[in-house]
mmCIF file of all heavy atoms in Angstrom:
data_model
loop_
_atom_site.group_PDB
_atom_site.id
_atom_site.type_symbol
_atom_site.label_atom_id
_atom_site.label_comp_id
_atom_site.label_asym_id
_atom_site.label_seq_id
_atom_site.Cartn_x
_atom_site.Cartn_y
_atom_site.Cartn_z
ATOM 1 N N THR A 385 -79.613 -31.988 -100.857
ATOM 2 C CA THR A 385 -79.408 -33.433 -100.862
ATOM 3 C C THR A 385 -77.865 -33.662 -101.246
ATOM 4 O O THR A 385 -77.082 -34.428 -100.600
ATOM 5 C CB THR A 385 -80.204 -34.257 -101.862
ATOM 6 O OG1 THR A 385 -81.605 -34.134 -101.346
ATOM 7 C CG2 THR A 385 -79.802 -35.629 -101.834
ATOM 8 N N LEU A 386 -77.432 -32.853 -102.062
ATOM 9 C CA LEU A 386 -76.056 -32.885 -102.568
ATOM 10 C C LEU A 386 -75.077 -31.992 -101.836
ATOM 11 O O LEU A 386 -73.916 -31.980 -102.149
ATOM 12 C CB LEU A 386 -75.858 -32.550 -104.136
ATOM 13 C CG LEU A 386 -76.739 -33.534 -105.065
ATOM 14 C CD1 LEU A 386 -76.748 -33.060 -106.478
ATOM 15 C CD2 LEU A 386 -76.317 -34.960 -104.882
ATOM 16 N N GLY A 387 -75.544 -31.283 -100.801
ATOM 17 C CA GLY A 387 -74.780 -30.325 -100.147
ATOM 18 C C GLY A 387 -74.282 -29.226 -100.873
ATOM 19 O O GLY A 387 -73.079 -28.572 -100.599
ATOM 20 N N LEU A 388 -74.955 -28.752 -101.814
ATOM 21 C CA LEU A 388 -74.535 -27.522 -102.579
ATOM 22 C C LEU A 388 -75.566 -26.436 -102.446
ATOM 23 O O LEU A 388 -76.594 -26.487 -101.951
ATOM 24 C CB LEU A 388 -74.598 -28.018 -104.190
ATOM 25 C CG LEU A 388 -73.675 -29.131 -104.465
ATOM 26 C CD1 LEU A 388 -73.849 -29.652 -105.954
ATOM 27 C CD2 LEU A 388 -72.248 -28.828 -104.262
ATOM 28 N N THR A 389 -75.110 -25.267 -102.997
ATOM 29 C CA THR A 389 -76.001 -24.096 -102.980
ATOM 30 C C THR A 389 -76.347 -23.655 -104.502
ATOM 31 O O THR A 389 -75.571 -23.392 -105.250
ATOM 32 C CB THR A 389 -75.199 -22.890 -102.365
ATOM 33 O OG1 THR A 389 -74.850 -23.221 -101.005
ATOM 34 C CG2 THR A 389 -76.028 -21.562 -102.390
ATOM 35 N N ALA A 390 -77.634 -23.745 -104.707
ATOM 36 C CA ALA A 390 -78.200 -23.268 -105.911
ATOM 37 C C ALA A 390 -78.244 -21.640 -105.912
ATOM 38 O O ALA A 390 -78.597 -21.059 -105.003
ATOM 39 C CB ALA A 390 -79.599 -23.785 -106.134
ATOM 40 N N HIS A 391 -77.877 -21.169 -107.047
ATOM 41 C CA HIS A 391 -77.724 -19.690 -107.223
ATOM 42 C C HIS A 391 -78.741 -19.017 -108.107
ATOM 43 O O HIS A 391 -78.995 -17.774 -107.996
ATOM 44 C CB HIS A 391 -76.275 -19.211 -107.688
ATOM 45 C CG HIS A 391 -75.254 -19.661 -106.704
ATOM 46 N ND1 HIS A 391 -75.013 -19.206 -105.506
ATOM 47 C CD2 HIS A 391 -74.246 -20.852 -106.848
ATOM 48 C CE1 HIS A 391 -74.020 -19.676 -104.905
ATOM 49 N NE2 HIS A 391 -73.524 -20.751 -105.751
ATOM 50 N N ASP A 392 -79.464 -19.890 -108.792
ATOM 51 C CA ASP A 392 -80.497 -19.304 -109.692
ATOM 52 C C ASP A 392 -81.789 -20.097 -109.647
ATOM 53 O O ASP A 392 -81.714 -21.276 -109.169
ATOM 54 C CB ASP A 392 -80.006 -19.203 -111.214
ATOM 55 C CG ASP A 392 -78.883 -18.173 -111.342
ATOM 56 O OD1 ASP A 392 -79.069 -16.970 -111.132
ATOM 57 O OD2 ASP A 392 -77.662 -18.688 -111.544
ATOM 58 N N THR A 393 -82.886 -19.656 -110.209
ATOM 59 C CA THR A 393 -84.094 -20.283 -110.183
ATOM 60 C C THR A 393 -84.322 -21.099 -111.478
ATOM 61 O O THR A 393 -84.036 -20.650 -112.615
ATOM 62 C CB THR A 393 -85.270 -19.339 -110.098
ATOM 63 O OG1 THR A 393 -86.538 -20.020 -110.298
ATOM 64 C CG2 THR A 393 -85.236 -18.249 -110.934
ATOM 65 N N MET A 394 -84.791 -22.260 -111.397
ATOM 66 C CA MET A 394 -85.044 -23.169 -112.490
ATOM 67 C C MET A 394 -86.129 -22.560 -113.464
ATOM 68 O O MET A 394 -85.983 -22.661 -114.667
ATOM 69 C CB MET A 394 -85.604 -24.562 -112.084
ATOM 70 C CG MET A 394 -85.777 -25.497 -113.164
ATOM 71 S SD MET A 394 -84.257 -26.080 -114.013
ATOM 72 C CE MET A 394 -83.532 -27.069 -112.823
ATOM 73 N N ALA A 395 -86.979 -21.870 -112.877
ATOM 74 C CA ALA A 395 -88.047 -21.209 -113.653
ATOM 75 C C ALA A 395 -87.441 -20.277 -114.787
ATOM 76 O O ALA A 395 -87.799 -20.191 -115.870
ATOM 77 C CB ALA A 395 -89.133 -20.541 -112.816
ATOM 78 N N ASP A 396 -86.434 -19.524 -114.324
ATOM 79 C CA ASP A 396 -85.811 -18.559 -115.164
ATOM 80 C C ASP A 396 -85.030 -19.286 -116.279
ATOM 81 O O ASP A 396 -85.001 -18.910 -117.380
ATOM 82 C CB ASP A 396 -84.822 -17.602 -114.420
ATOM 83 C CG ASP A 396 -85.531 -16.559 -113.669
ATOM 84 O OD1 ASP A 396 -86.815 -16.302 -113.923
ATOM 85 O OD2 ASP A 396 -84.857 -15.904 -112.671
ATOM 86 N N TYR A 397 -84.414 -20.396 -115.856
ATOM 87 C CA TYR A 397 -83.745 -21.090 -116.919
ATOM 88 C C TYR A 397 -84.621 -21.704 -117.928
ATOM 89 O O TYR A 397 -84.301 -21.633 -119.175
ATOM 90 C CB TYR A 397 -82.840 -22.286 -116.241
ATOM 91 C CG TYR A 397 -82.190 -23.159 -117.244
ATOM 92 C CD1 TYR A 397 -81.250 -22.711 -118.269
ATOM 93 C CD2 TYR A 397 -82.610 -24.477 -117.406
ATOM 94 C CE1 TYR A 397 -80.786 -23.674 -119.185
ATOM 95 C CE2 TYR A 397 -82.089 -25.437 -118.306
ATOM 96 C CZ TYR A 397 -81.146 -24.834 -119.227
ATOM 97 O OH TYR A 397 -80.648 -25.755 -120.190
ATOM 98 N N LEU A 398 -85.638 -22.332 -117.448
ATOM 99 C CA LEU A 398 -86.569 -22.988 -118.386
ATOM 100 C C LEU A 398 -87.334 -22.013 -119.323
ATOM 101 O O LEU A 398 -87.860 -22.340 -120.208
ATOM 102 C CB LEU A 398 -87.538 -23.815 -117.572
ATOM 103 C CG LEU A 398 -86.978 -25.143 -116.885
ATOM 104 C CD1 LEU A 398 -88.046 -25.737 -116.042
ATOM 105 C CD2 LEU A 398 -86.304 -25.981 -117.815
ATOM 106 N N SER A 399 -87.439 -20.745 -118.878
ATOM 107 C CA SER A 399 -87.999 -19.710 -119.641
ATOM 108 C C SER A 399 -87.053 -19.150 -120.516
ATOM 109 O O SER A 399 -87.482 -18.097 -121.322
ATOM 110 C CB SER A 399 -88.590 -18.575 -118.628
ATOM 111 O OG SER A 399 -89.511 -19.158 -117.813
ATOM 112 N N GLY A 400 -85.796 -19.486 -120.507
ATOM 113 C CA GLY A 400 -84.832 -19.006 -121.474
ATOM 114 C C GLY A 400 -84.139 -17.724 -121.070
ATOM 115 O O GLY A 400 -83.409 -17.045 -121.934
ATOM 116 N N VAL A 401 -84.388 -17.377 -119.811
ATOM 117 C CA VAL A 401 -83.703 -16.121 -119.336
ATOM 118 C C VAL A 401 -82.154 -16.361 -119.135
ATOM 119 O O VAL A 401 -81.516 -15.337 -119.177
ATOM 120 C CB VAL A 401 -84.357 -15.673 -118.020
ATOM 121 C CG1 VAL A 401 -83.696 -14.409 -117.470
ATOM 122 C CG2 VAL A 401 -85.872 -15.407 -118.313
ATOM 123 N N ILE A 402 -81.778 -17.589 -118.575
ATOM 124 C CA ILE A 402 -80.391 -17.781 -118.176
ATOM 125 C C ILE A 402 -79.845 -18.931 -119.301
ATOM 126 O O ILE A 402 -80.432 -19.864 -119.586
ATOM 127 C CB ILE A 402 -80.316 -18.459 -116.801
ATOM 128 C CG1 ILE A 402 -81.077 -17.536 -115.853
ATOM 129 C CG2 ILE A 402 -78.902 -18.628 -116.399
ATOM 130 C CD1 ILE A 402 -81.147 -18.186 -114.534
ATOM 131 N N ALA A 403 -78.727 -18.596 -119.758
ATOM 132 C CA ALA A 403 -77.974 -19.537 -120.636
ATOM 133 C C ALA A 403 -77.476 -20.625 -119.910
ATOM 134 O O ALA A 403 -77.184 -20.640 -118.701
ATOM 135 C CB ALA A 403 -76.878 -18.721 -121.344
ATOM 136 N N PRO A 404 -77.471 -21.842 -120.579
ATOM 137 C CA PRO A 404 -77.118 -22.974 -119.857
ATOM 138 C C PRO A 404 -75.658 -23.031 -119.344
ATOM 139 O O PRO A 404 -75.416 -23.513 -118.050
ATOM 140 C CB PRO A 404 -77.094 -24.199 -120.906
ATOM 141 C CG PRO A 404 -77.132 -23.522 -122.214
ATOM 142 C CD PRO A 404 -77.815 -22.127 -122.067
ATOM 143 N N GLU A 405 -74.780 -22.371 -119.965
ATOM 144 C CA GLU A 405 -73.339 -22.157 -119.429
ATOM 145 C C GLU A 405 -73.314 -21.417 -118.076
ATOM 146 O O GLU A 405 -72.331 -21.503 -117.300
ATOM 147 C CB GLU A 405 -72.446 -21.752 -120.397
ATOM 148 C CG GLU A 405 -72.680 -20.272 -120.844
ATOM 149 C CD GLU A 405 -73.562 -20.236 -122.152
ATOM 150 O OE1 GLU A 405 -74.312 -21.344 -122.381
ATOM 151 O OE2 GLU A 405 -73.550 -19.266 -122.875
ATOM 152 N N ASN A 406 -74.367 -20.519 -117.753
ATOM 153 C CA ASN A 406 -74.386 -19.792 -116.639
ATOM 154 C C ASN A 406 -75.283 -20.443 -115.640
ATOM 155 O O ASN A 406 -75.378 -19.868 -114.449
ATOM 156 C CB ASN A 406 -74.895 -18.344 -116.886
ATOM 157 C CG ASN A 406 -74.038 -17.678 -117.939
ATOM 158 O OD1 ASN A 406 -72.806 -17.798 -117.812
ATOM 159 N ND2 ASN A 406 -74.666 -16.748 -118.770
ATOM 160 N N PHE A 407 -75.843 -21.582 -115.944
ATOM 161 C CA PHE A 407 -76.754 -22.221 -114.905
ATOM 162 C C PHE A 407 -76.347 -23.464 -114.441
ATOM 163 O O PHE A 407 -76.496 -23.827 -113.235
ATOM 164 C CB PHE A 407 -78.243 -22.305 -115.565
ATOM 165 C CG PHE A 407 -79.262 -22.751 -114.689
ATOM 166 C CD1 PHE A 407 -79.834 -21.970 -113.695
ATOM 167 C CD2 PHE A 407 -79.789 -24.106 -114.755
ATOM 168 C CE1 PHE A 407 -80.742 -22.418 -112.874
ATOM 169 C CE2 PHE A 407 -80.748 -24.608 -113.903
ATOM 170 C CZ PHE A 407 -81.261 -23.741 -112.898
ATOM 171 N N LEU A 408 -75.720 -24.324 -115.264
ATOM 172 C CA LEU A 408 -75.386 -25.686 -114.899
ATOM 173 C C LEU A 408 -74.089 -25.586 -114.175
ATOM 174 O O LEU A 408 -73.151 -24.811 -114.404
ATOM 175 C CB LEU A 408 -75.280 -26.532 -116.247
ATOM 176 C CG LEU A 408 -76.534 -27.135 -116.600
ATOM 177 C CD1 LEU A 408 -77.433 -26.207 -117.244
ATOM 178 C CD2 LEU A 408 -76.254 -28.377 -117.494
ATOM 179 N N VAL A 409 -73.847 -26.664 -113.268
ATOM 180 C CA VAL A 409 -72.498 -26.858 -112.666
ATOM 181 C C VAL A 409 -72.123 -28.242 -112.895
ATOM 182 O O VAL A 409 -73.014 -29.130 -113.111
ATOM 183 C CB VAL A 409 -72.648 -26.610 -111.120
ATOM 184 C CG1 VAL A 409 -72.859 -25.120 -110.953
ATOM 185 C CG2 VAL A 409 -73.671 -27.414 -110.387
ATOM 186 N N LYS A 410 -70.926 -28.562 -112.648
ATOM 187 C CA LYS A 410 -70.247 -29.925 -113.011
ATOM 188 C C LYS A 410 -69.972 -30.608 -111.688
ATOM 189 O O LYS A 410 -69.062 -30.054 -110.991
ATOM 190 C CB LYS A 410 -69.172 -29.755 -114.020
ATOM 191 C CG LYS A 410 -68.602 -31.101 -114.359
ATOM 192 C CD LYS A 410 -67.485 -30.829 -115.574
ATOM 193 C CE LYS A 410 -66.490 -29.751 -115.191
ATOM 194 N NZ LYS A 410 -65.519 -29.556 -116.240
ATOM 195 N N ALA A 411 -70.514 -31.793 -111.302
ATOM 196 C CA ALA A 411 -70.269 -32.557 -110.147
ATOM 197 C C ALA A 411 -69.167 -33.534 -110.510
ATOM 198 O O ALA A 411 -68.545 -34.176 -109.555
ATOM 199 C CB ALA A 411 -71.409 -33.094 -109.652
ATOM 200 N N ALA A 412 -68.936 -33.931 -111.816
ATOM 201 C CA ALA A 412 -67.992 -34.895 -112.151
ATOM 202 C C ALA A 412 -67.663 -34.421 -113.690
ATOM 203 O O ALA A 412 -68.422 -33.690 -114.226
ATOM 204 C CB ALA A 412 -68.533 -36.222 -112.051
ATOM 205 N N PRO A 413 -66.557 -35.016 -114.195
ATOM 206 C CA PRO A 413 -66.192 -34.595 -115.588
ATOM 207 C C PRO A 413 -67.404 -34.819 -116.500
ATOM 208 O O PRO A 413 -67.421 -34.227 -117.643
ATOM 209 C CB PRO A 413 -65.067 -35.486 -115.871
ATOM 210 C CG PRO A 413 -64.336 -35.692 -114.585
ATOM 211 C CD PRO A 413 -65.565 -35.820 -113.676
ATOM 212 N N ASN A 414 -68.289 -35.731 -116.196
ATOM 213 C CA ASN A 414 -69.351 -36.218 -117.183
ATOM 214 C C ASN A 414 -70.684 -36.082 -116.525
ATOM 215 O O ASN A 414 -71.851 -36.777 -117.110
ATOM 216 C CB ASN A 414 -69.117 -37.520 -117.857
ATOM 217 C CG ASN A 414 -68.913 -38.589 -116.732
ATOM 218 O OD1 ASN A 414 -68.667 -38.267 -115.519
ATOM 219 N ND2 ASN A 414 -69.190 -39.840 -117.044
ATOM 220 N N LEU A 415 -70.862 -35.448 -115.438
ATOM 221 C CA LEU A 415 -72.106 -35.159 -114.756
ATOM 222 C C LEU A 415 -72.377 -33.763 -114.539
ATOM 223 O O LEU A 415 -71.685 -32.971 -113.663
ATOM 224 C CB LEU A 415 -72.128 -35.886 -113.423
ATOM 225 C CG LEU A 415 -73.367 -35.737 -112.566
ATOM 226 C CD1 LEU A 415 -74.601 -36.120 -113.217
ATOM 227 C CD2 LEU A 415 -73.180 -36.521 -111.240
ATOM 228 N N ALA A 416 -73.479 -33.249 -115.151
ATOM 229 C CA ALA A 416 -73.819 -31.774 -114.946
ATOM 230 C C ALA A 416 -75.177 -31.719 -114.153
ATOM 231 O O ALA A 416 -76.013 -32.556 -114.272
ATOM 232 C CB ALA A 416 -74.032 -31.216 -116.394
ATOM 233 N N LEU A 417 -75.215 -30.749 -113.410
ATOM 234 C CA LEU A 417 -76.382 -30.554 -112.534
ATOM 235 C C LEU A 417 -77.046 -29.282 -112.767
ATOM 236 O O LEU A 417 -76.527 -28.195 -112.972
ATOM 237 C CB LEU A 417 -75.940 -30.446 -110.925
ATOM 238 C CG LEU A 417 -75.156 -31.712 -110.555
ATOM 239 C CD1 LEU A 417 -74.634 -31.348 -109.184
ATOM 240 C CD2 LEU A 417 -75.953 -32.982 -110.559
ATOM 241 N N ALA A 418 -78.400 -29.301 -112.781
ATOM 242 C CA ALA A 418 -79.256 -28.114 -112.896
ATOM 243 C C ALA A 418 -80.033 -27.977 -111.777
ATOM 244 O O ALA A 418 -81.079 -28.679 -111.526
ATOM 245 C CB ALA A 418 -80.047 -28.199 -114.201
ATOM 246 N N LEU A 419 -79.633 -27.011 -110.826
ATOM 247 C CA LEU A 419 -80.322 -26.903 -109.466
ATOM 248 C C LEU A 419 -81.202 -25.759 -109.361
ATOM 249 O O LEU A 419 -81.243 -24.998 -110.320
ATOM 250 C CB LEU A 419 -79.338 -26.945 -108.338
ATOM 251 C CG LEU A 419 -78.185 -28.036 -108.396
ATOM 252 C CD1 LEU A 419 -77.105 -27.769 -107.404
ATOM 253 C CD2 LEU A 419 -78.855 -29.353 -108.216
ATOM 254 N N ASN A 420 -82.034 -25.811 -108.352
ATOM 255 C CA ASN A 420 -83.044 -24.761 -108.257
ATOM 256 C C ASN A 420 -82.881 -24.016 -106.929
ATOM 257 O O ASN A 420 -83.038 -24.735 -105.929
ATOM 258 C CB ASN A 420 -84.426 -25.420 -108.447
ATOM 259 C CG ASN A 420 -85.536 -24.269 -108.500
ATOM 260 O OD1 ASN A 420 -85.337 -23.130 -108.775
ATOM 261 N ND2 ASN A 420 -86.745 -24.678 -108.534
ATOM 262 N N ASP A 421 -83.002 -22.753 -106.790
ATOM 263 C CA ASP A 421 -82.833 -22.145 -105.535
ATOM 264 C C ASP A 421 -84.162 -21.581 -104.853
ATOM 265 O O ASP A 421 -84.092 -21.141 -103.752
ATOM 266 C CB ASP A 421 -81.912 -20.889 -105.671
ATOM 267 C CG ASP A 421 -82.539 -19.706 -106.399
ATOM 268 O OD1 ASP A 421 -83.540 -19.985 -107.040
ATOM 269 O OD2 ASP A 421 -81.982 -18.660 -106.311
ATOM 270 N N ARG A 422 -85.224 -21.820 -105.508
ATOM 271 C CA ARG A 422 -86.498 -21.412 -104.865
ATOM 272 C C ARG A 422 -87.735 -22.118 -105.396
ATOM 273 O O ARG A 422 -87.649 -22.639 -106.648
ATOM 274 C CB ARG A 422 -86.740 -20.018 -104.985
ATOM 275 C CG ARG A 422 -87.178 -19.480 -106.420
ATOM 276 C CD ARG A 422 -86.935 -17.972 -106.493
ATOM 277 N NE ARG A 422 -85.598 -17.618 -106.667
ATOM 278 C CZ ARG A 422 -85.059 -16.481 -106.910
ATOM 279 N NH1 ARG A 422 -85.919 -15.499 -107.246
ATOM 280 N NH2 ARG A 422 -83.827 -16.200 -106.962
ATOM 281 N N PRO A 423 -88.825 -22.294 -104.792
ATOM 282 C CA PRO A 423 -90.003 -23.087 -105.318
ATOM 283 C C PRO A 423 -90.760 -22.164 -106.406
ATOM 284 O O PRO A 423 -90.457 -20.940 -106.435
ATOM 285 C CB PRO A 423 -90.910 -23.111 -103.996
ATOM 286 C CG PRO A 423 -90.022 -22.972 -102.835
ATOM 287 C CD PRO A 423 -88.858 -22.058 -103.243
ATOM 288 N N GLU A 424 -91.489 -22.711 -107.147
ATOM 289 C CA GLU A 424 -92.238 -22.048 -108.270
ATOM 290 C C GLU A 424 -93.734 -22.626 -108.143
ATOM 291 O O GLU A 424 -93.943 -23.869 -108.392
ATOM 292 C CB GLU A 424 -91.686 -22.433 -109.471
ATOM 293 C CG GLU A 424 -92.549 -21.989 -110.741
ATOM 294 C CD GLU A 424 -92.566 -20.448 -110.759
ATOM 295 O OE1 GLU A 424 -91.688 -19.727 -110.496
ATOM 296 O OE2 GLU A 424 -93.785 -20.036 -111.088
ATOM 297 N N GLU A 425 -94.632 -21.778 -107.861
ATOM 298 C CA GLU A 425 -95.977 -22.257 -107.766
ATOM 299 C C GLU A 425 -96.684 -22.493 -109.062
ATOM 300 O O GLU A 425 -97.746 -23.397 -109.143
ATOM 301 C CB GLU A 425 -96.878 -20.987 -106.984
ATOM 302 C CG GLU A 425 -96.466 -20.752 -105.637
ATOM 303 C CD GLU A 425 -97.268 -19.737 -104.820
ATOM 304 O OE1 GLU A 425 -98.114 -19.216 -105.514
ATOM 305 O OE2 GLU A 425 -97.086 -19.584 -103.706
ATOM 306 N N ASN A 426 -96.210 -21.893 -110.104
ATOM 307 C CA ASN A 426 -96.791 -22.005 -111.412
ATOM 308 C C ASN A 426 -96.206 -23.082 -112.259
ATOM 309 O O ASN A 426 -95.998 -23.035 -113.563
ATOM 310 C CB ASN A 426 -96.980 -20.711 -112.111
ATOM 311 C CG ASN A 426 -97.830 -19.702 -111.388
ATOM 312 O OD1 ASN A 426 -98.803 -20.034 -110.865
ATOM 313 N ND2 ASN A 426 -97.379 -18.451 -111.466
ATOM 314 N N SER A 427 -95.607 -24.031 -111.581
ATOM 315 C CA SER A 427 -94.751 -25.105 -112.373
ATOM 316 C C SER A 427 -95.595 -25.865 -113.449
ATOM 317 O O SER A 427 -95.020 -26.170 -114.546
ATOM 318 C CB SER A 427 -94.188 -26.121 -111.378
ATOM 319 O OG SER A 427 -95.210 -26.726 -110.518
ATOM 320 N N ALA A 428 -96.805 -26.179 -113.217
ATOM 321 C CA ALA A 428 -97.505 -26.927 -114.176
ATOM 322 C C ALA A 428 -97.805 -26.250 -115.431
ATOM 323 O O ALA A 428 -97.586 -26.748 -116.581
ATOM 324 C CB ALA A 428 -98.873 -27.274 -113.633
ATOM 325 N N GLU A 429 -98.048 -24.843 -115.280
ATOM 326 C CA GLU A 429 -98.101 -24.086 -116.448
ATOM 327 C C GLU A 429 -96.826 -23.857 -117.216
ATOM 328 O O GLU A 429 -96.737 -23.880 -118.400
ATOM 329 C CB GLU A 429 -98.772 -22.671 -116.027
ATOM 330 C CG GLU A 429 -100.149 -22.695 -115.509
ATOM 331 C CD GLU A 429 -100.286 -23.176 -114.178
ATOM 332 O OE1 GLU A 429 -99.248 -23.335 -113.445
ATOM 333 O OE2 GLU A 429 -101.497 -23.565 -113.794
ATOM 334 N N LEU A 430 -95.700 -23.685 -116.461
ATOM 335 C CA LEU A 430 -94.425 -23.581 -116.991
ATOM 336 C C LEU A 430 -94.084 -24.762 -117.866
ATOM 337 O O LEU A 430 -93.556 -24.640 -118.876
ATOM 338 C CB LEU A 430 -93.451 -23.290 -115.904
ATOM 339 C CG LEU A 430 -91.871 -23.120 -116.377
ATOM 340 C CD1 LEU A 430 -91.724 -22.050 -117.368
ATOM 341 C CD2 LEU A 430 -91.073 -23.104 -115.149
ATOM 342 N N PHE A 431 -94.368 -25.892 -117.369
ATOM 343 C CA PHE A 431 -94.062 -27.290 -118.022
ATOM 344 C C PHE A 431 -94.700 -27.401 -119.300
ATOM 345 O O PHE A 431 -94.416 -28.155 -120.198
ATOM 346 C CB PHE A 431 -94.416 -28.483 -117.140
ATOM 347 C CG PHE A 431 -93.332 -28.622 -115.973
ATOM 348 C CD1 PHE A 431 -93.711 -29.255 -114.834
ATOM 349 C CD2 PHE A 431 -92.064 -28.202 -116.155
ATOM 350 C CE1 PHE A 431 -92.746 -29.432 -113.860
ATOM 351 C CE2 PHE A 431 -91.112 -28.342 -115.125
ATOM 352 C CZ PHE A 431 -91.490 -29.046 -113.910
ATOM 353 N N GLN A 432 -95.722 -26.651 -119.605
ATOM 354 C CA GLN A 432 -96.595 -26.783 -120.839
ATOM 355 C C GLN A 432 -96.433 -25.715 -121.796
ATOM 356 O O GLN A 432 -97.140 -25.588 -122.773
ATOM 357 C CB GLN A 432 -98.047 -27.011 -120.522
ATOM 358 C CG GLN A 432 -98.387 -28.180 -119.616
ATOM 359 C CD GLN A 432 -99.753 -28.320 -119.319
ATOM 360 O OE1 GLN A 432 -100.719 -28.431 -120.141
ATOM 361 N NE2 GLN A 432 -100.083 -28.422 -117.951
#
Side-chain angles (χ1 to χ4, degrees):
T385 298
L386 301 177
L388 301 173
T389 300
H391 298 287
D392 293 293
T393 172
M394 182 68 74
D396 282 348
Y397 172 64
L398 295 178
S399 299
V401 176
I402 308 174
E405 61 268 23
N406 297 326
F407 185 71
L408 275 74
V409 294
K410 184 169 54 178
N414 58 337
L415 173 59
L417 307 172
L419 305 175
N420 186 15
D421 71 346
R422 74 195 72 170
E424 171 61 43
E425 294 183 359
N426 298 320
S427 52
E429 292 77 13
L430 177 61
F431 284 154
Q432 298 181 57

